[in-house]
Every structure is written in structure tokens, then in C-alpha cells.
Amino acid sequence: MTALLETEHVEYSYPDGNSGLRGIDLSLTAGRKIAIVGANGAGKSTLFLHLNGALKPRRGVVRFQGRPIDYSRPGLRELRSQVGLVFQDPDAQLFSASVEQDISFGPLNMGLPEAEVRRRVDEAMAATGITELRHRPVHALSYGQKKRVCIAGVAAMRPRVIILDEPLAWLDPAGAKSILDLLERLNQEGTTIVMSLHQMDIVAR
Amino acid sequence: MTALLETEHVEYSYPDGNSGLRGIDLSLTAGRKIAIVGANGAGKSTLFLHLNGALKPRRGVVRFQGRPIDYSRPGLRELRSQVGLVFQDPDAQLFSASVEQDISFGPLNMGLPEAEVRRRVDEAMAATGITELRHRPVHALSYGQKKRVCIAGVAAMRPRVIILDEPLAWLDPAGAKSILDLLERLNQEGTTIVMSLHQMDIVAR
Amino acid sequence: MLFTIDQWAWANRLRDKSPTWKGIAALLGLLASLLSPTPWLSGSITLLSGALIVFGARIPLSVFLRLMSVPGLFLLTGCVTVALSPSPLDPVAQVTIGPYSPGISAAGLQQAGILFFRSLGATASLYFLVLTTPMVDVIELVSRLRAPKIVTELMLLIYRFIFVLMETTQAILLAQESRLGYATQANSLRSLGILAANLFVRSLIRSRELYIALSARGYEEELRVLPRTRENSFLR
Amino acid sequence: MHIMEGYLPLSHAAAWTAASAPFVVHGLRAIQKTVRTNPEAKMLLGVAGAFSFVLSALKLPSVTGSSSHPTGTGLGAVLFGPTVMTVLGAIVLLFQALLLAHGGITTLGANVFSMGIVGPFAAYGVYRLGQRMNLSSNISIFAAAAIGDLATYVTTTVQLALAFPDTATGVVGSIVKFGSVFLVTQIPLALAEGLLTVVIFNALSKY
């Protein structure tokens, strides 16, 4: 069985000379739930941006389903419908004040018909437990609720993998537990889950 | 010996009806180092904003050095040069371009002569172990370094009390220990230290 | 907590009514106020809008009254200025200061009166729309008026990021205040400048982050979103 | 200085809207062209628009002690250019009308003309002139922001005077009336805005 996502000797350095990645080898099997643990600044976020094609390695190669990533526009479109990325800061990725509209963005970009988009939005909201937030403005939501909207926005695209950067950051234990439960459920429904965790999260749980 | 900071039956509720404080009585003796432990949303941050005059209680009274807080402009100026507040999220309180500039903000506002400001900035940087970061842009620092800059910015004002909201949040154990050591040192030099801790911090250490 | 109008727009009893109808009603109120030859019509529109806001949308009267007083200073100085004349032809009241004899003219007074009620009626009509209609619906309405796509896209982004940046601003203001940033006038100017510069730099970072995050969800050229669902309305 | 909802007669409201329209359309075309080659520009403009709204919601410590709000007109014109600022200014003015009840829908055209067109173009012109005359950047920026502000107020004054000519002395008399009421209060604010813009640019240069 080939790996779903793989990196081989991936190297990257930021234009401003900030630390990047040095020879990362990684192999993710489909269906798993994986946590990557490391200190701040260890490059987890940088790695994740490579897995979704947002960054291109300076050296080495990233493979999805055995094939090197095709960085052309249609290639990236295909990759991004399969590999979803949830960022750490919800305010960095929620662009519409309407929960419903924000979640519909990804599915619409995939070119799905409106009825299908609506169905997926409803399903993603149900799965993440935010159905009753449908008509609330994003700026009135709590931090944890915003996190759920972000996850729903990616889940509505039904990717094979969802990658989450520090999904537990800034959440209290109860909030963190409910996000972990949600990820567990998505995983059992067949989505591969990759997330980065902070050392503190491990110590505490 | 009178208490340095005292609250008596302090009540507060947010305009949006969010939970606030209900009848808080607190008495802090000068020179001590005190931790206030409570779950998220217990109102620790709200309480701290009262101690520094940023919020005015709806009922009850806050006393500094035995006298009720004077909420006039000069009264608050005096209070805030004596009671320093370090917020939980460093990104919310670091607003200058460079480390040195940020630390000088408080002392400059106190109207101190430039030479004295420089001396205090140097001292505060030395005390918090960030002298070598002096000319670094704030946004390029790690989370732990930012926390230190925040503490230095308040310490440079030489307040009698430094109040820290969740100083250990989101730090790994090594980072947390070094912040605790730093607070211990400031305390031994005569500064009263008040901090809120999350239950998790206690579990972890 | 930030903007009273926005808060009520999301939490009033007419929220889910068709934005098109609400828009048409507000427009009629605006036009009628502007064209009203007497204070009677514009005055009635003020009362009608107020009634719809208070009894229809169930927004407290105190909120409506407070909002009506927002443009009060402009209205008052504006109307007084219209009524005053450096040398009135038909003075109602006049004073002589050396060679000048300014006063209030009868025609000016009448004009100021009409103007006063006209502005109130128009303002109340606008309040009816904005207090009952969430901004997301207003943006949808703008797009139905065939505004260029880029306009509604920018409106969507600006509306969302007003709140993100506002939150940052309030946090920084609090932090600056607690380090005496606004203790004197000179301090205030300097602190405000630092705040604005910082906010600008953070805005640039935010826009970069947003681009990366939206690209990860397949953004290429257009910010496409679903129109809101609304049951049983033949004119959505 | 926002002209409130309903204050201008319909004919004037329509005329100012017609006067503003070509500038807005031109700005929109320029933006559309930029966005087509660089899709990231859309996010930048969106966040920049939000920034200018938030800036205008801040309180400006003024020399007189009364507080007002910075317009950010000069800042925006120098940073983004006046063409782009017209579009951002128009949307920000719309949001100010809808969220804060500053200004209005029927007076949007007139307000866009004074604050989104005359202000930014005057500020940008002064800034470029200052650069060409090799003035220090502090002086150019101060002058750009302060004069951009004043130009806005003068425009508003003319708009009000045209709508409400004095019964005896006509439009000119009315300009004097409105001018003396508004300008006296606005000059200190224009100076404060100029100072603030200089402080912002100096702080920005440290990044």
C-alpha cells in the first residue's frame, strides 16, 4: 500500500532567511490519525503548507497518492480538493461574516452545483455541531466556535486528508476535548487526520 | 500593615450580559508572590482589569495602599505607574516595531528623562534576559521571547506590583520554568507579584 | 458589543424577512422624505419608521432614540446655519453690530424647519433598513442590484476584517493605556500613531495569511459564496 | 465631515452621485485589472479597506481638546494612490453610513466626492509636489494630510452652500456662513491629522 502523502528530503528556507525545513522525510498512510509534536518554530506550519502545495520545496519532493505534486493550476486545484488545511488562527481563514457562506466557499470552488453545495454545508455544520450558529455572524462567535467553522469549511470539501495546525491551541480542556472528539469522528468516517500539537498539549492530556 | 491592593465586594457585569464578577473580596500584602487559580471564564482577567483601573466596578470598591482608586486622569496615571499589568496574549500588547522601542514605551510615558529611560530599558532587558534581542523586530520573536518582552516593558516602569494574566499559558515546561524563575527574581528585588494560573498549569507541574 | 446597529441587525424580529422588501420600504421612505413639501409627510415617515423598528423589529425605543440623536449635532448646526443670514431681507430677529446686521430670516427659518424634518425622516428610513437587515443580506442586496462582483467581494472582506482589526485595536489600546500611553495629549498622539502603524503592518500580514488560507480552499479569482436560504418568499 | 442622510435635496444628491461615478468606475477598472494579474491584491484591498474604517473609528486627540476622528485620507492616498483610495473610500463611507450612521445613502455621492475624491487627490498632489520640491518627507506628509483634510472640508462647505444659498446673499454668502461654522472647528483637526499621519509614517519606517 502506497503512502497517501509523502515528503522526500524536503528542504525549504524563507526568503527572509528565517528557519525553514531541512531534509524532511515523512510518509502518511491513508485512514490514520497522526499527531506531529514539536516546539514552536520547529517548522510544523511550514511543512503543512508544503503538503497542500501552498509552498514549493526548494529541494526534495512531495508526493500525493504516489505521484509528485503537480504545481500547475489544475494540478493544485485537484490536490487542494483532496488535502484540506485548517490554520491555527481562525481569523486568518474566515473571510465571510456569515458562517454558512464561509463554509460554502470550498465546495463552490470545486465547481459543485448549488444543491450539492447546500447539502454539503448542512452536513459539515451537523458534523461539527454548529448547525445552530448558521445565522450568527462570525464576529459574535467564541474562539472555539470559530475553530469549528474552520474545520467545517474544510470538511465540506470532503478531502481525503485534513491537516490541522495546532487545533487545540488556546482552547481550555473541555474545548480541546470536543475538538478531539470531532476529529475522531471525521477519522472514523474515513478522513485521514494529521495535526500538529504543542508539547504542552501532550503534558496536559 | 495595610494591604497593598484590596477589593471589597467588587461586582461587575459586561454590557453584553456576559459573566463578570460577583462580590470579590481580595487583599494583597506588599512583597508577596501570589497565584490565583481558576478555570477559563472564571473572571480572573476581569478582576485584574479592575486592579489596574481599566474597569470600574459596578458595586464595591478597589483600594490601592489603603485608599480607594481615584478614577480621574491623574489618579489613574499614578495608579498605573505603580500597578503593572501583563496580558495573556503577547501579540495583544506588543505594538512597537523593535524590542527596545516597546520596552521604552512605559518609562517615556511617565515623563522620565531620556538617560533614565535608557538605563531602565537596559536594566529591564538584563533582568528578563533579552538584552541580545534589543534591536530585533518584535514580530520575528518566538512566543516565549515575546512574553519576556512584555514583562520587561512593565518592569521598566518599576511598579510596586506586577500582575500577570496566565503568564505560563502556551509555554512548554522549560519556557514556563524560566518565566517562573524570572518572576521569583523580580519578587526578591521587592516587586509584589500577582498572577493567574490555569488549572492545567498546576496539573502539569 | 462593538456597533449597536450591527448587533440589532443580527438579533431583531424582522431579520429573516426579505431584504428586497425591506430595501424597497426604506427607499420609499427616503424618497418621500426628500420630496416632502411639508414637515407633515417627513414627520409621519419618522414616526412610521420608528413604529416599525420598535413594534415590528422589537428593538427598544431607547435604542432607536439614541441612534436618532447620533447626527444631532450636524443637524442642529446645519439647520441653525441655514436659518441665519448675514443680512436677512425678511428678518424675524436681527441684531446690529457696527456695519453688520445679521439675523434670522423668515424664509430661512421655514427652510430650516423643512430641512430638519426631512433629514429626520430620511435618517429614520435608513435606520429601518440597517437595524433590521444583517450586513451579509445588505451585501446580497447590493449584488442583486448588479453591482460589479469586485464591489461585493470587497464589501464581504471589509465587513469581516473590520471586526478582526477592531479586536486587535481594542487590545492594543488597553495595553497602551495600562502603560500610560494616553496620560497626556502629546503621549496620546504618539501612542495613536504607533497603534495605527502597528495595525497597518498587521493588516498586511493578515491579508497575506488570508490569501494563503483561501488558496488552500481553492481560491483562484473569485470569492464565491452561497446566497442565504430564505423560506417561502416569492421576492427573496 | 459627513453630510447626514436626507440633508441634501434629491437633485443635489443625484448630481453629486453623477459627479463621483466616473472616478469610482475608473478606480474599479484599475482594481479589476490589478486583481486579474494578481489575485492576492483582492485580500490586500479588503483588509486595507477594513484598516481605513477602523482608523476612522479611533479618537483623535485634537489641539483644542475636543476630539474627532482621523479621516486617514492622506495616509491612504500616499500608501495606495488616490485612484484606489476612491473605491476604498466609497465602500468605507457606505459602511460608515450602514454601521455607524455617519453620512447616508442619498448623500453617499456627495460624501464620496469630498472624502473619496477631492481629499485623496489633493493629498496625493501635495505629497508629490513636496517630493519634487525636495522637501523633507515629514513636511510633505504633514502638508499632504493636512491639506487633504482641509480640501475635504472646503468641498463639503461648497456642497452645503450650493444646496442652501442664503436668501439675501446667495451661494457666496452661504459659503461664508457654512465656512465660518465648519472651517474654524476643522482647522485644528486638519493640523492634528497632519501630525498623526507623520507619526504613523515615522513608526512605519521602523518596520
Side-chain angles (χ1 to χ4, degrees), chain D residues 43-93:
Chain D
M43 282 76 204
L44 177 63
L45 291 169
V47 179
F51 168 76
S52 70
F53 181 97
V54 170
L55 190 70
S56 72
L58 292 175
K59 272 202 178 137
L60 190 69
S62 111
V63 192
T64 54
S66 78
S67 58
S68 178
H69 305 278
T71 66
T73 297
L75 182 72
V78 173
L79 287 173
F80 300 109
T83 312
V84 168
M85 237 359 239
T86 299
V87 175
L88 290 186
I91 299 181
V92 168
L93 283 167

Short mmCIF file of all heavy atoms in Angstrom, two decimals, chain D residues 43-93:
data_model
loop_
_atom_site.label_atom_id
_atom_site.label_comp_id
_atom_site.label_asym_id
_atom_site.label_seq_id
_atom_site.Cartn_x
_atom_site.Cartn_y
_atom_site.Cartn_z
N MET D 43 -7.36 40.44 -1.43
CA MET D 43 -7.30 40.34 0.04
C MET D 43 -6.64 41.59 0.62
O MET D 43 -7.06 42.11 1.64
CB MET D 43 -6.48 39.12 0.46
CG MET D 43 -7.21 37.82 0.35
SD MET D 43 -7.31 37.32 -1.37
CE MET D 43 -8.74 36.27 -1.32
N LEU D 44 -5.59 42.05 -0.06
CA LEU D 44 -4.89 43.23 0.42
C LEU D 44 -5.85 44.43 0.46
O LEU D 44 -5.93 45.15 1.47
CB LEU D 44 -3.69 43.54 -0.48
CG LEU D 44 -2.92 44.81 -0.12
CD1 LEU D 44 -2.32 44.68 1.28
CD2 LEU D 44 -1.82 45.09 -1.12
N LEU D 45 -6.62 44.61 -0.62
CA LEU D 45 -7.53 45.75 -0.67
C LEU D 45 -8.63 45.61 0.38
O LEU D 45 -9.04 46.59 1.01
CB LEU D 45 -8.13 45.88 -2.07
CG LEU D 45 -7.14 46.32 -3.14
CD1 LEU D 45 -7.75 46.17 -4.52
CD2 LEU D 45 -6.70 47.76 -2.89
N GLY D 46 -9.13 44.40 0.55
CA GLY D 46 -10.18 44.17 1.54
C GLY D 46 -9.70 44.52 2.94
O GLY D 46 -10.37 45.26 3.67
N VAL D 47 -8.54 44.02 3.29
CA VAL D 47 -8.02 44.30 4.63
C VAL D 47 -7.65 45.78 4.76
O VAL D 47 -7.87 46.39 5.81
CB VAL D 47 -6.83 43.37 4.97
CG1 VAL D 47 -6.28 43.68 6.34
CG2 VAL D 47 -7.26 41.91 4.91
N ALA D 48 -7.13 46.37 3.67
CA ALA D 48 -6.80 47.79 3.71
C ALA D 48 -8.06 48.64 3.93
O ALA D 48 -8.04 49.63 4.66
CB ALA D 48 -6.08 48.21 2.43
N GLY D 49 -9.15 48.24 3.30
CA GLY D 49 -10.41 48.95 3.50
C GLY D 49 -10.85 48.87 4.95
O GLY D 49 -11.26 49.86 5.55
N ALA D 50 -10.75 47.67 5.52
CA ALA D 50 -11.10 47.50 6.93
C ALA D 50 -10.21 48.35 7.81
O ALA D 50 -10.66 48.99 8.77
CB ALA D 50 -10.99 46.02 7.32
N PHE D 51 -8.92 48.40 7.46
CA PHE D 51 -7.98 49.22 8.22
C PHE D 51 -8.42 50.67 8.18
O PHE D 51 -8.44 51.36 9.22
CB PHE D 51 -6.57 49.08 7.62
CG PHE D 51 -5.57 50.09 8.12
CD1 PHE D 51 -5.03 49.96 9.38
CD2 PHE D 51 -5.20 51.17 7.33
CE1 PHE D 51 -4.11 50.89 9.85
CE2 PHE D 51 -4.29 52.11 7.79
CZ PHE D 51 -3.75 51.97 9.06
N SER D 52 -8.83 51.16 7.01
CA SER D 52 -9.19 52.58 6.98
C SER D 52 -10.49 52.86 7.74
O SER D 52 -10.62 53.91 8.36
CB SER D 52 -9.12 53.17 5.61
OG SER D 52 -9.87 52.93 4.70
N PHE D 53 -11.40 51.89 7.75
CA PHE D 53 -12.60 52.06 8.57
C PHE D 53 -12.24 52.14 10.06
O PHE D 53 -12.69 53.02 10.78
CB PHE D 53 -13.56 50.88 8.34
CG PHE D 53 -14.84 50.98 9.13
CD1 PHE D 53 -15.99 51.49 8.55
CD2 PHE D 53 -14.91 50.57 10.45
CE1 PHE D 53 -17.17 51.59 9.27
CE2 PHE D 53 -16.08 50.66 11.18
CZ PHE D 53 -17.21 51.17 10.59
N VAL D 54 -11.40 51.20 10.49
CA VAL D 54 -11.04 51.14 11.91
C VAL D 54 -10.28 52.41 12.31
O VAL D 54 -10.51 52.98 13.38
CB VAL D 54 -10.20 49.87 12.20
CG1 VAL D 54 -9.61 49.91 13.60
CG2 VAL D 54 -11.08 48.64 12.03
N LEU D 55 -9.38 52.86 11.43
CA LEU D 55 -8.64 54.08 11.72
C LEU D 55 -9.61 55.26 11.92
O LEU D 55 -9.44 56.07 12.84
CB LEU D 55 -7.69 54.39 10.55
CG LEU D 55 -6.68 55.50 10.79
CD1 LEU D 55 -5.65 55.06 11.81
CD2 LEU D 55 -5.99 55.89 9.49
N SER D 56 -10.64 55.32 11.08
CA SER D 56 -11.57 56.45 11.19
C SER D 56 -12.47 56.33 12.42
O SER D 56 -13.15 57.27 12.79
CB SER D 56 -12.43 56.55 9.93
OG SER D 56 -13.36 55.49 9.90
N ALA D 57 -12.46 55.15 13.05
CA ALA D 57 -13.27 54.98 14.26
C ALA D 57 -12.48 55.34 15.51
O ALA D 57 -13.02 55.38 16.61
CB ALA D 57 -13.78 53.54 14.36
N LEU D 58 -11.17 55.60 15.35
CA LEU D 58 -10.35 55.97 16.51
C LEU D 58 -10.57 57.43 16.86
O LEU D 58 -10.91 58.24 16.00
CB LEU D 58 -8.87 55.77 16.19
CG LEU D 58 -8.39 54.34 16.01
CD1 LEU D 58 -6.93 54.35 15.59
CD2 LEU D 58 -8.56 53.57 17.31
N LYS D 59 -10.36 57.74 18.13
CA LYS D 59 -10.49 59.14 18.53
C LYS D 59 -9.18 59.87 18.36
O LYS D 59 -8.13 59.38 18.75
CB LYS D 59 -10.95 59.20 19.98
CG LYS D 59 -12.45 59.17 20.09
CD LYS D 59 -12.90 59.76 21.41
CE LYS D 59 -14.41 59.77 21.49
NZ LYS D 59 -14.86 59.33 22.81
N LEU D 60 -9.28 61.04 17.80
CA LEU D 60 -8.08 61.83 17.54
C LEU D 60 -7.93 62.88 18.63
O LEU D 60 -8.83 63.67 18.84
CB LEU D 60 -8.26 62.52 16.18
CG LEU D 60 -7.09 63.22 15.55
CD1 LEU D 60 -6.06 62.20 15.11
CD2 LEU D 60 -7.56 64.00 14.33
N PRO D 61 -6.80 62.86 19.34
CA PRO D 61 -6.62 63.91 20.33
C PRO D 61 -6.35 65.20 19.59
O PRO D 61 -5.40 65.31 18.84
CB PRO D 61 -5.39 63.46 21.12
CG PRO D 61 -4.66 62.54 20.23
CD PRO D 61 -5.63 61.99 19.22
N SER D 62 -7.22 66.19 19.75
CA SER D 62 -7.03 67.39 18.95
C SER D 62 -6.45 68.50 19.81
O SER D 62 -6.47 68.45 21.03
CB SER D 62 -8.35 67.82 18.32
OG SER D 62 -8.80 69.01 18.90
N VAL D 63 -5.92 69.48 19.12
CA VAL D 63 -5.27 70.58 19.81
C VAL D 63 -6.26 71.32 20.71
O VAL D 63 -5.93 71.80 21.78
CB VAL D 63 -4.65 71.55 18.79
CG1 VAL D 63 -3.72 72.54 19.46
CG2 VAL D 63 -3.91 70.77 17.72
N THR D 64 -7.51 71.37 20.26
CA THR D 64 -8.50 72.14 21.01
C THR D 64 -9.05 71.38 22.21
O THR D 64 -9.75 71.96 23.02
CB THR D 64 -9.71 72.48 20.11
OG1 THR D 64 -10.19 71.24 19.56
CG2 THR D 64 -9.33 73.40 19.00
N GLY D 65 -8.75 70.09 22.28
CA GLY D 65 -9.29 69.33 23.39
C GLY D 65 -10.55 68.59 23.00
O GLY D 65 -10.83 67.53 23.55
N SER D 66 -11.30 69.12 22.06
CA SER D 66 -12.43 68.36 21.56
C SER D 66 -11.87 67.24 20.71
O SER D 66 -10.85 67.40 20.08
CB SER D 66 -13.35 69.23 20.71
OG SER D 66 -12.79 69.39 19.43
N SER D 67 -12.50 66.09 20.74
CA SER D 67 -11.91 65.00 19.98
C SER D 67 -12.74 64.71 18.74
O SER D 67 -13.95 64.83 18.73
CB SER D 67 -11.79 63.75 20.83
OG SER D 67 -13.05 63.38 21.30
N SER D 68 -12.03 64.34 17.68
CA SER D 68 -12.70 63.95 16.46
C SER D 68 -12.03 62.68 15.96
O SER D 68 -11.26 62.06 16.67
CB SER D 68 -12.60 65.07 15.44
OG SER D 68 -13.21 64.67 14.26
N HIS D 69 -12.34 62.30 14.74
CA HIS D 69 -11.78 61.07 14.20
C HIS D 69 -10.88 61.36 13.02
O HIS D 69 -11.20 62.19 12.20
CB HIS D 69 -12.91 60.14 13.78
CG HIS D 69 -13.87 59.86 14.87
ND1 HIS D 69 -13.64 58.92 15.83
CD2 HIS D 69 -15.04 60.44 15.20
CE1 HIS D 69 -14.64 58.91 16.69
NE2 HIS D 69 -15.51 59.84 16.33
N PRO D 70 -9.75 60.64 12.94
CA PRO D 70 -8.89 60.86 11.77
C PRO D 70 -9.63 60.36 10.52
O PRO D 70 -10.44 59.44 10.60
CB PRO D 70 -7.66 60.01 12.06
CG PRO D 70 -8.04 59.05 13.13
CD PRO D 70 -9.20 59.64 13.85
N THR D 71 -9.37 60.98 9.38
CA THR D 71 -10.01 60.53 8.15
C THR D 71 -9.14 59.49 7.44
O THR D 71 -9.65 58.67 6.70
CB THR D 71 -10.26 61.68 7.17
OG1 THR D 71 -8.99 62.17 6.73
CG2 THR D 71 -11.03 62.79 7.83
N GLY D 72 -7.83 59.54 7.69
CA GLY D 72 -6.95 58.57 7.04
C GLY D 72 -6.83 58.79 5.55
O GLY D 72 -6.20 58.01 4.85
N THR D 73 -7.42 59.89 5.08
CA THR D 73 -7.42 60.17 3.65
C THR D 73 -6.00 60.34 3.10
O THR D 73 -5.63 59.71 2.11
CB THR D 73 -8.21 61.46 3.38
OG1 THR D 73 -9.55 61.22 3.78
CG2 THR D 73 -8.18 61.84 1.94
N GLY D 74 -5.22 61.18 3.78
CA GLY D 74 -3.86 61.43 3.32
C GLY D 74 -3.01 60.17 3.38
O GLY D 74 -2.29 59.83 2.44
N LEU D 75 -3.14 59.46 4.49
CA LEU D 75 -2.40 58.22 4.67
C LEU D 75 -2.68 57.24 3.53
O LEU D 75 -1.78 56.72 2.89
CB LEU D 75 -2.79 57.59 6.02
CG LEU D 75 -2.08 56.31 6.42
CD1 LEU D 75 -0.65 56.62 6.80
CD2 LEU D 75 -2.79 55.62 7.57
N GLY D 76 -3.97 57.03 3.27
CA GLY D 76 -4.38 56.09 2.24
C GLY D 76 -3.92 56.53 0.86
O GLY D 76 -3.46 55.71 0.07
N ALA D 77 -4.04 57.84 0.60
CA ALA D 77 -3.67 58.33 -0.73
C ALA D 77 -2.19 58.11 -0.99
O ALA D 77 -1.79 57.71 -2.09
CB ALA D 77 -4.03 59.80 -0.87
N VAL D 78 -1.36 58.36 0.04
CA VAL D 78 0.08 58.19 -0.15
C VAL D 78 0.44 56.71 -0.24
O VAL D 78 1.29 56.31 -1.04
CB VAL D 78 0.85 58.89 0.99
CG1 VAL D 78 2.33 58.58 0.90
CG2 VAL D 78 0.62 60.39 0.94
N LEU D 79 -0.22 55.87 0.56
CA LEU D 79 0.11 54.43 0.57
C LEU D 79 -0.42 53.70 -0.67
O LEU D 79 0.26 52.86 -1.23
CB LEU D 79 -0.45 53.76 1.82
CG LEU D 79 0.25 54.05 3.14
CD1 LEU D 79 -0.53 53.45 4.29
CD2 LEU D 79 1.67 53.51 3.14
N PHE D 80 -1.67 53.99 -1.06
CA PHE D 80 -2.29 53.18 -2.11
C PHE D 80 -2.52 53.95 -3.41
O PHE D 80 -2.90 53.36 -4.41
CB PHE D 80 -3.65 52.64 -1.64
CG PHE D 80 -3.57 51.79 -0.42
CD1 PHE D 80 -4.06 52.23 0.79
CD2 PHE D 80 -2.98 50.53 -0.50
CE1 PHE D 80 -3.97 51.43 1.92
CE2 PHE D 80 -2.89 49.72 0.63
CZ PHE D 80 -3.39 50.18 1.84
N GLY D 81 -2.33 55.26 -3.39
CA GLY D 81 -2.64 56.05 -4.58
C GLY D 81 -4.09 56.48 -4.55
O GLY D 81 -4.94 55.77 -4.01
N PRO D 82 -4.39 57.66 -5.11
CA PRO D 82 -5.73 58.22 -5.00
C PRO D 82 -6.80 57.43 -5.75
O PRO D 82 -7.95 57.38 -5.33
CB PRO D 82 -5.59 59.63 -5.57
CG PRO D 82 -4.35 59.60 -6.38
CD PRO D 82 -3.46 58.56 -5.81
N THR D 83 -6.43 56.77 -6.85
CA THR D 83 -7.43 56.05 -7.64
C THR D 83 -8.04 54.90 -6.84
O THR D 83 -9.26 54.74 -6.77
CB THR D 83 -6.77 55.48 -8.91
OG1 THR D 83 -6.01 56.50 -9.52
CG2 THR D 83 -7.80 54.96 -9.87
N VAL D 84 -7.16 54.13 -6.20
CA VAL D 84 -7.62 53.02 -5.38
C VAL D 84 -8.37 53.54 -4.16
O VAL D 84 -9.39 52.99 -3.74
CB VAL D 84 -6.41 52.15 -4.95
CG1 VAL D 84 -6.81 51.16 -3.87
CG2 VAL D 84 -5.85 51.39 -6.15
N MET D 85 -7.85 54.65 -3.60
CA MET D 85 -8.47 55.21 -2.41
C MET D 85 -9.91 55.65 -2.65
O MET D 85 -10.74 55.63 -1.75
CB MET D 85 -7.64 56.42 -1.94
CG MET D 85 -7.11 56.38 -0.52
SD MET D 85 -7.51 54.96 0.47
CE MET D 85 -8.36 55.77 1.80
N THR D 86 -10.21 56.07 -3.90
CA THR D 86 -11.58 56.47 -4.20
C THR D 86 -12.55 55.29 -4.00
O THR D 86 -13.59 55.43 -3.38
CB THR D 86 -11.67 56.97 -5.66
OG1 THR D 86 -10.82 58.10 -5.79
CG2 THR D 86 -13.09 57.35 -6.02
N VAL D 87 -12.14 54.12 -4.50
CA VAL D 87 -13.01 52.95 -4.35
C VAL D 87 -13.10 52.52 -2.89
O VAL D 87 -14.20 52.32 -2.35
CB VAL D 87 -12.49 51.78 -5.22
CG1 VAL D 87 -13.33 50.54 -4.98
CG2 VAL D 87 -12.50 52.16 -6.68
N LEU D 88 -11.93 52.40 -2.24
CA LEU D 88 -11.95 52.00 -0.83
C LEU D 88 -12.72 53.02 -0.01
O LEU D 88 -13.52 52.67 0.86
CB LEU D 88 -10.52 51.87 -0.28
CG LEU D 88 -9.70 50.69 -0.82
CD1 LEU D 88 -8.37 50.60 -0.07
CD2 LEU D 88 -10.45 49.38 -0.68
N GLY D 89 -12.50 54.30 -0.32
CA GLY D 89 -13.19 55.37 0.40
C GLY D 89 -14.71 55.24 0.23
O GLY D 89 -15.46 55.40 1.19
N ALA D 90 -15.15 54.94 -0.98
CA ALA D 90 -16.59 54.83 -1.23
C ALA D 90 -17.18 53.68 -0.41
O ALA D 90 -18.24 53.83 0.21
CB ALA D 90 -16.84 54.61 -2.73
N ILE D 91 -16.48 52.54 -0.38
CA ILE D 91 -17.02 51.41 0.38
C ILE D 91 -16.98 51.70 1.88
O ILE D 91 -17.92 51.40 2.62
CB ILE D 91 -16.24 50.11 0.06
CG1 ILE D 91 -16.40 49.78 -1.43
CG2 ILE D 91 -16.76 48.95 0.91
CD1 ILE D 91 -15.68 48.52 -1.87
N VAL D 92 -15.89 52.32 2.33
CA VAL D 92 -15.79 52.64 3.75
C VAL D 92 -16.90 53.64 4.14
O VAL D 92 -17.54 53.49 5.18
CB VAL D 92 -14.39 53.22 4.09
CG1 VAL D 92 -14.37 53.83 5.48
CG2 VAL D 92 -13.34 52.11 4.01
N LEU D 93 -17.17 54.61 3.26
CA LEU D 93 -18.25 55.57 3.55
C LEU D 93 -19.60 54.86 3.61
O LEU D 93 -20.45 55.19 4.44
CB LEU D 93 -18.28 56.67 2.49
CG LEU D 93 -17.19 57.74 2.66
CD1 LEU D 93 -17.08 58.59 1.40
CD2 LEU D 93 -17.49 58.61 3.86
#
